[in-house]
Amino acid sequence: MRSKKMTGGLEKAPHRSLMHALGLTREEISRPLVGVCNAANEVVPGHIHLDTIAEAAKAGVRLAGGVPLEFPAIAVCDGLAMNHEGMSFSLPSRENIADSVEIMASAHPFDALVLIPNCDKCVPGMLMAMLRLNIPAIMVSGGPMFAGASGKADLITVFEAVGKVRRGEMDEEELAKLEACACPGCGSCAGMFTANTMNCLAETIGLALPGNGTIPAPTAERVRLAKTAGMKVMELLAQDLKPRDIVTAKSVENAVAVDMALGGSTNTVLHLPAVFAEAGLPLTLSIFDQVSRRTPNLCKLSPAGAHHIEDLHRAGGIPAVMSRLAEKNLLHLDVATATGRTLGENLADLGAKVLEPEVIRPADAPYSKEGGIAILYGSLAPEGAVVKQAAVAPAMMQREGVAKVFNSEEEAVTTILNGGIAAGDVVVIRYEGPRGGPGMREMLTPTSAIAGMGLGGEVALITDGRFSGGTRGAAIGHVSPEAADGGPIALVQTGDRIKIDIPARTLDLLVDAPELARRARNLVKPEKHIRSPLLRRYSRLVRSAAQGAVYKEEE
């Protein structure tokens, strides 16, 4: 056992003495030691109940003969961090979480790990750590929040209501009532936003058990799942089945295919490459586009449609989505999973089928023949840009408009809410990329403001920053190279024309090459004083969004 490095032999008597100080008996010290990383805190609604999940997981470990040892992880609530300097710290927290799990599981050589995240950067951070450490491990998330206001509202409803108040469609008393009921309790926000997308994909790639992505947070079913995960990790240990045995090149394609079928968050284009890179598996933007072109979009979950994660769960969950894709030979069913069985065996054991076809459409009658995410290239984005095409109105799929340029999110939001954006405009927000932000802030506030102002079907937003999984509309992010690296987005001027053609996968700045060359020679970047030592370090180390915004290779 790996833990014998810490507990075995005469010379480890001092170590055992410290473990006795924890209250452990000699019998417990001799058993497999399982690290349980619990991201519970009293700040993030998705994490406020994770102590309950951790206790269930630890009970499962004990039932199967192991000894659980709990340690913490941080988590940022992107909703609370939105539209102020706090959002700069959200994406960097992913690397911090991965590093901290590595530190704890290396300094204290556990035999196996159970990882308990729920929200946006915590899930990919823990997945990265699992693959980096490559010891038997399983993930069990805290699960999704129920939708609020009798199943009709979620956090995005409130964000968009701000714009409705500004345009007089809703008064502040109505907004206050909505605030109080849109998020009714614990769990990750109720739509197919980033946290829920990543929890569903953790299940898809086999590092979490079936049900991980969709079982609602406040239910006994979620507690039972956690208990089962604790028992299952002991089986993985006995089989010596490790994360890199489970995650292969075939798993990469499966993850992207399910992401496209779900119409998941554009942030997966950042997180999946970062996760798979830890296993030495490349995932480029071109793979996303190739899989998107052949994978039908089967679900319209909030923000793209009216359904929420609880509806997806009732419809059969991720196994039902995968059964639809399997019918069309769009999945590799021979891949290993954390159940100890192959994906195909799991689907057969579960009798996976769609229970509500209005939630998960047949592959022959999808919402669209292509997946939920598209990758665009062109003179404005030579290295690529990302759009959730499943959430774009048909009229905005092809559009030429006039640029209104802003060097920060705050500038843009002020102008939008003050009525300074009109139908046909293309809002360009730059210097918000991984380096330039720094931290690649989410642009949920401006996109929600555009929707709330009634312009969602008339105005596009383009940025080198990123979007919340809750963003809808013609919101094109991750424009690479970013402005801070001298990308073409730095050269756009208010009044320029921009052409968007999502079906053709193009994004072009309609300014001739000599003029762009002149602008490049005269480019003056806005000064940005970064006070935080962490963000200064991040800005120096981070790579392009097109490469998952991971850290640069060691030189």
Side-chain angles (χ1 to χ4, degrees):
M1 292 192 300
R2 188 170 178 264
S3 61
K4 292 302 181 187
K5 297 177 184 178
M6 182 169 62
T7 63
L10 177 65
E11 70 279 10
K12 297 305 189 321
H15 303 62
R16 292 192 294 273
S17 179
L18 289 168
M19 301 196 82
H20 283 310
L22 300 175
L24 298 180
T25 65
R26 184 172 292 274
E27 169 64 22
E28 287 176 302
I29 294 170
S30 70
R31 292 187 177 191
L33 303 181
V34 179
V36 178
C37 184
N38 178 11
N41 63 53
E42 295 182 349
V43 179
V44 184
H47 289 234
I48 196 167
H49 66 305
L50 292 191
D51 281 341
T52 300
I53 304 302
E55 288 304 317
K58 290 190 290 185
V61 170
R62 293 189 187 100
L63 280 168
V67 177
L69 296 170
E70 185 178 329
F71 63 93
I74 65 167
V76 170
C77 177
D78 279 22
L80 293 174
M82 198 73 64
N83 194 228
H84 60 85
E85 62 273 13
M87 181 50 74
S88 291
F89 292 86
S90 177
L91 186 57
S93 76
R94 185 188 70 182
E95 269 55 36
N96 179 287
I97 291 162
D99 291 347
S100 65
V101 175
E102 179 190 11
I103 288 168
M104 287 298 291
S106 299
H108 318 99
F110 302 119
D111 298 299
L113 290 171
V114 177
L115 297 136
I116 306 172
N118 211 24
C119 288
D120 293 28
K121 309 310 170 296
C122 200
V123 181
M126 288 190 181
L127 290 171
M128 290 165 67
M130 291 171 77
L131 290 163
R132 185 184 302 176
L133 289 161
N134 201 35
I135 62 176
I138 196 167
M139 175 175 285
V140 56
S141 77
M145 185 185 292
F146 282 119
S150 301
K152 297 179 180 179
D154 55 39
L155 181 66
I156 306 311
T157 315
V158 185
F159 268 98
E160 294 185 358
V162 174
K164 291 182 179 180
V165 171
R166 281 298 181 98
R167 64 191 289 227
E169 188 177 321
M170 176 184 285
D171 62 36
E172 292 193 28
E173 184 177 345
E174 290 176 291
L175 177 60
K177 289 179 180 178
L178 179 62
E179 289 173 31
C181 68
C183 299
C186 66
S188 46
C189 293
M192 188 51 73
F193 314 145
T194 303
N196 289 325
T197 303
M198 289 304 301
N199 280 322
C200 289
L201 297 184
E203 176 181 338
T204 301
I205 63 178
L207 294 179
L209 296 177
N212 182 74
T214 61
I215 296 173
T219 62
E221 188 180 3
R222 175 62 59 174
V223 175
R224 294 195 300 271
L225 180 75
K227 200 169 293 184
T228 303
M231 292 186 282
K232 190 61 67 174
V233 81
M234 297 302 294
E235 292 181 22
L236 298 179
L237 177 60
Q239 298 169 21
D240 195 31
L241 186 62
K242 298 186 285 290
R244 290 189 209 168
D245 301 323
I246 293 171
V247 176
T248 65
K250 291 180 178 180
S251 305
V252 173
E253 290 196 12
N254 283 353
V256 177
V258 172
D259 189 15
M260 297 303 161
L262 292 171
S265 165
T266 54
N267 282 315
T268 59
V269 181
L270 285 175
H271 298 323
L272 287 179
V275 169
F276 289 125
E278 297 287 350
L281 297 168
L283 178 55
T284 62
L285 293 185
S286 62
I287 295 175
F288 279 94
D289 204 54
Q290 290 165 18
V291 176
S292 179
R293 287 181 183 275
R294 66 174 183 255
T295 306
N297 176 217
L298 305 180
C299 302
K300 283 281 189 183
L301 300 153
S302 177
H307 296 133
H308 292 89
I309 303 299
E310 63 201 74
D311 302 310
L312 178 61
H313 184 60
R314 284 196 306 271
I318 298 306
V321 174
M322 291 194 288
S323 73
R324 290 285 206 216
L325 296 178
E327 291 168 4
K328 296 297 182 181
N329 297 315
L330 293 171
L331 291 180
H332 301 283
L333 299 180
D334 57 343
V335 294
T337 72
T339 66
R341 298 169 68 78
T342 67
L343 174 58
E345 290 170 335
N346 287 345
L347 296 181
D349 290 346
L350 292 165
K353 62 180 180 180
V354 174
L355 302 176
E356 296 185 16
E358 66 275 16
V359 178
I360 306 171
R361 284 197 174 180
D364 290 331
Y367 284 102
S368 63
K369 292 182 179 180
E370 293 186 352
I373 292 174
I375 308 300
L376 313 182
Y377 295 92
S379 60
L380 189 52
E383 294 178 6
V386 182
V387 62
K388 184 190 279 195
Q389 62 176 342
V392 177
M396 294 299 293
M397 294 293 282
Q398 294 173 298
R399 178 60 65 107
E400 184 176 317
V402 178
K404 293 283 183 72
V405 181
F406 305 92
N407 286 337
S408 73
E409 177 189 8
E410 289 83 357
E411 292 177 27
V413 170
T414 298
T415 300
I416 294 166
L417 292 177
N418 287 335
I421 300 299
D425 286 345
V426 178
V427 176
V428 177
I429 305 178
R430 61 192 179 191
Y431 295 102
E432 291 285 9
R435 282 193 58 229
M440 202 178 185
R441 295 193 294 174
E442 286 187 349
M443 301 291 143
L444 179 57
T445 298
T447 56
S448 297
I450 288 170
M453 296 292 284
L455 296 170
E458 296 291 340
V459 170
L461 192 152
I462 297 172
T463 181
D464 53 7
R466 61 191 178 91
F467 295 110
S468 162
T471 288
R472 63 187 176 98
I476 300 169
H478 305 206
V479 171
S480 299
E482 62 175 290
D485 285 333
I489 192 171
L491 307 179
V492 184
Q493 294 181 358
T494 293
D496 289 345
R497 298 197 69 81
I498 293 174
K499 184 177 181 180
I500 300 164
D501 191 334
I502 295 174
R505 303 294 200 266
T506 57
L507 179 64
D508 289 304
L509 175 61
L510 303 181
V511 176
D512 61 39
E515 171 60 15
L516 290 179
R518 184 193 68 78
R519 293 181 189 180
R521 288 192 299 270
N522 298 318
L523 180 64
V524 178
K525 295 181 181 180
E527 290 188 16
K528 184 174 287 190
H529 177 62
I530 306 172
R531 290 181 293 177
S532 164
L534 183 151
L535 293 179
R536 286 199 298 270
R537 182 167 65 249
Y538 183 84
S539 184
R540 289 196 305 269
L541 294 176
V542 71
R543 299 176 74 174
S544 165
Q547 298 166 308
V550 297
Y551 284 156
K552 297 172 183 174
E553 296 289 335
E554 297 288 343
E555 296 182 357

